[in-house]
Amino acid sequence: MASVQAACSNLFHTNHVVDDDLKQRRRSQILLNTFRNEFSAPINRNKERESRVLVLYTGGTIGMMKNDMNAYVPIPDAFEKYIRRIPYMHDEEYVASKLSSKDKSKFLVLPEVADKARVLYHIKEYSTLLDSCNMAMESWIRIALDIQKSYESYDGFVILHGTDTLAYTASALSFMFENLGKTVIVTGSQIPVFESRSDGRDNILGALVLAGNYVIPEVTVFFRNNLFRGNRTMKKSTDAFLAFDSPNMSPIAKIGINIEVDPQLIFRPHTIDKFRVQSTLNPNVGLLRLFPNITSQAVRAFLQPPIEGVVLQTYGAGNVPSNREDLMEELKAATRRGVLIVNCTQCIEGSVSANYETGMVLEQAGVIPGMDMTPEAALTKLSYVLSKTEWDAAVKCEMMQKNLRGELSAEQSHSRKRSMLTNIDSITNEEKAKLESIMLPALINYYVANGNIEELEALKEMGADFSSENSDFRTPLHVACSEGNLQVVEFLLLNGASVHKKDRYDFTPLMDAIRSDHHDVIEVLVKCGAHLSLTQPKNIGEELCRAAAKDKLERLQSYQVAGADLSQTDFNDNTALHIAALHGNKRIVSYLLDMQANKTAKNILGETPADLARRMNHPDVLSLLT
């Protein structure tokens, strides 16, 4: 950009009184040639990729200090100041040399690690820091709306939270976030970060690395080097660093010397729809735990209005005393009134079933089997389902038994149905798995490029991961969008492909579709939640100006379909309309005006598009602009 800036600077300091036509034409030709050269070169990009993570600091032990009474209390404005002083949490040298003045005060930066991108993170501290015991539905809604507001500006999200109710928050958010496409991680600590033996620093660091480098479109919990599905998580210890566990599901990822992510365990959206937040929840839900000699009067009182949903925690595999007809009558009466009752086991591990007579009687009473849902997941799911006014009672009952966010094991299998190397006996199963991990992505991209959906279906049966990456971090969706095969794009999206993954050059599948001018593909990607980066608008302005300079109408249309502001400026405050006027590209000017482009915008020389058209003697373009 130095050449453009130098040319503009020289023009700016030149006396604008035109001495003669020759001087005017010479100066205009210099400017035109400069722009031609500039817009024929690729945009300069940093060699080091960056990702941006929003950290919501809501409170909890992680940011507390001891007061005069030796009790932990939250300290406002202390957390970020402390983190900035930790060298392995913040690279001040990178900030000073690489970030803009605006970003320097906003972002902290992780030091370089052996991952895909440098992680920039912004900490938003809540004005009222809450102990997790004080968390309520209103807090969940606030967190959800904050993420919704910032969704397109960040690559991932980390929520710092107290541990006592963390599993409830993670479960609730998992249901409130519909069609989630980005990584959301909830974490905290058993000891505050200000203490020398704190587990909090490693928990934050691990969460940031995962949120900034991996697209895991779930609400998860990160603790002690394990990433769990949020709605499968329970707090298991008050004093161990591994405070959380997921008894009915393995961790999605583990951090050791290497980061191991199991793509088969990731629960991905399988719809073509945008991210949205269900911002209302039904508070009329509760937990009722059975115990020997519980009275029917107590059960009746608990089930009275305004209660609308109940998680019934039963014995063993979902059993109740079958000889207690008084209890069964109360449950039947409640289900007849429309109360949704979900049967969950009191055991930490396992699932409810109707294998015993004592379990069958509950289903006969209209109680919904909760399978292997945790009580936290069942309660927050009830609150979510009951808030859906567009669903009738039958649909709500069905949804409580449906696997919405990976919260239960029904309808879900992560085992591969068949292997590519079944008939090869000369290698071990471990060697087969390693070969398949190499061959499957290559085959996927081959069949994607050739539009062979039948073979892609066969690879799906083998457990193919349609979000897998090659050495340039390109996914099958990148390839399909470059090829412009709409049918393949839709197949991939309906099978869990991510629209948010970036390749080595920071391009998403949407950018590949734009660069190839596949408008129908762009429309589907946008419908699925793909969006242009809001963090580098000047780069988009550069691309728009480049298209205008080269008379590429289809490219401008691609950006318009993708939701770009066609009046976005480049680094010299030129809009595409400025450049089109400069080059005399009449059809581009006409299109931009039809798209309501700003014809009064001024560049760094204070010139409007009309001024440039007049300077370059393009009367037909000037007539459109005046």
Side-chain angles (χ1 to χ4, degrees), residues 526-571:
V526 170
K527 186 178 179 182
C528 199
H531 57 81
L532 295 167
S533 172
L534 298 182
T535 59
Q536 295 179 314
K538 293 293 184 182
N539 281 348
I540 295 174
E542 288 282 294
E543 294 284 1
L544 294 172
C545 289
R546 185 193 306 279
K550 294 185 175 182
D551 198 27
K552 287 189 174 182
L553 178 59
E554 280 197 339
R555 183 61 45 81
L556 290 174
Q557 291 171 332
S558 294
Y559 274 102
Q560 187 272 326
V561 173
D565 175 8
L566 297 185
S567 294
Q568 178 61 57
T569 62
D570 67 4
F571 291 93

Side-chain angles (χ1 to χ4, degrees), residues 50-56 106-108 110 118-124 150 153-159 183-185 204 207-214 535:
E50 293 177 348
S51 65
R52 301 191 176 207
V53 176
L54 176 64
V55 178
L56 298 180
K106 180 177 181 180
F107 286 100
L108 294 88
L110 289 186
R118 182 70 76 114
V119 178
L120 281 62
Y121 62 106
H122 170 60
I123 299 175
K124 178 179 179 179
S150 302
S153 298
Y154 292 89
D155 299 295
F157 303 87
V158 172
I159 302 164
T183 307
V184 178
I185 302 177
I204 299 169
L208 287 171
V209 169
L210 288 168
N213 285 283
Y214 295 88
T535 59

Side-chain angles (χ1 to χ4, degrees), residues 72-88:
Y72 284 127
V73 292
I75 306 296
D77 302 321
F79 181 77
E80 182 175 342
K81 292 177 182 177
Y82 175 77
I83 294 296
R84 282 187 179 273
R85 297 199 301 267
I86 304 175
Y88 63 83

Side-chain angles (χ1 to χ4, degrees), residues 216-429:
I216 301 173
E218 297 194 43
V219 177
T220 54
V221 170
F222 183 78
F223 241 83
R224 198 61 171 176
N225 298 325
N226 288 281
L227 186 72
F228 303 108
R229 177 169 298 152
N231 55 39
R232 290 292 195 132
T233 310
M234 304 173 71
K235 185 175 181 181
K236 72 172 186 177
S237 176
T238 61
D239 54 11
F241 282 156
L242 186 54
F244 289 85
D245 196 9
S246 177
N248 291 315
M249 180 183 163
S250 301
I252 295 172
K254 293 182 179 182
I255 292 184
I257 294 177
N258 299 311
I259 297 176
E260 299 176 0
V261 178
D262 188 344
Q264 298 292 323
L265 291 178
I266 298 174
F267 191 88
R268 307 178 190 276
H270 287 73
T271 59
I272 299 178
D273 207 350
K274 285 186 178 181
F275 168 74
R276 58 178 174 265
V277 170
Q278 173 69 19
S279 58
T280 59
L281 294 171
N282 190 316
N284 301 317
V285 295
L287 289 164
L288 177 60
R289 186 180 177 95
L290 290 187
F291 56 88
N293 292 334
I294 186 172
T295 66
S296 58
Q297 291 88 344
V299 174
R300 183 185 312 122
F302 190 88
L303 295 173
Q304 290 303 305
I307 205 76
E308 296 179 53
V310 172
V311 178
L312 183 66
Q313 291 187 269
T314 56
Y315 308 130
N319 302 316
V320 295
S322 58
N323 60 351
R324 289 289 305 276
E325 292 186 7
D326 56 335
L327 292 183
M328 299 313 301
E329 283 303 318
E330 296 300 337
L331 296 174
K332 288 178 183 178
T335 57
R336 284 196 293 266
R337 292 196 305 271
V339 177
L340 291 185
I341 304 177
V342 182
N343 179 17
C344 290
T345 176
Q346 295 179 12
C347 299
I348 293 176
E349 188 174 354
S351 176
V352 301
S353 68
N355 292 335
Y356 297 92
E357 178 191 2
T358 49
M360 292 179 183
V361 294
L362 283 176
E363 290 195 23
Q364 293 168 0
V367 175
I368 301 166
M371 283 72 134
D372 58 349
M373 279 192 289
T374 65
E376 294 91 339
L379 183 76
T380 53
K381 184 177 181 179
L382 264 176
S383 182
Y384 165 77
V385 167
L386 288 169
S387 72
K388 288 287 194 177
T389 55
E390 64 270 30
W391 293 345
D392 61 22
V395 172
K396 289 176 180 178
C397 182
E398 177 188 349
M399 290 300 173
M400 285 306 301
Q401 300 173 76
K402 187 177 177 63
N403 189 27
L404 300 180
R405 307 285 191 273
E407 71 279 4
L408 51 85
S409 297
E411 308 174 2
Q412 179 174 295
S413 174
H414 296 297
S415 60
R416 293 180 175 176
K417 296 181 181 179
R418 61 188 179 90
S419 170
M420 298 170 59
L421 308 171
T422 303
N423 299 324
I424 301 178
D425 299 323
S426 58
I427 59 176
T428 66
N429 289 334

Side-chain angles (χ1 to χ4, degrees), residues 5 112 124 191 307 355 407 409 421 466 472 580 595 602:
Q5 291 168 344
E112 185 177 7
K124 178 179 179 179
I191 300 176
I307 205 76
N355 292 335
E407 71 279 4
S409 297
L421 308 171
F466 292 119
D472 280 329
M595 293 293 106
K602 295 181 178 181

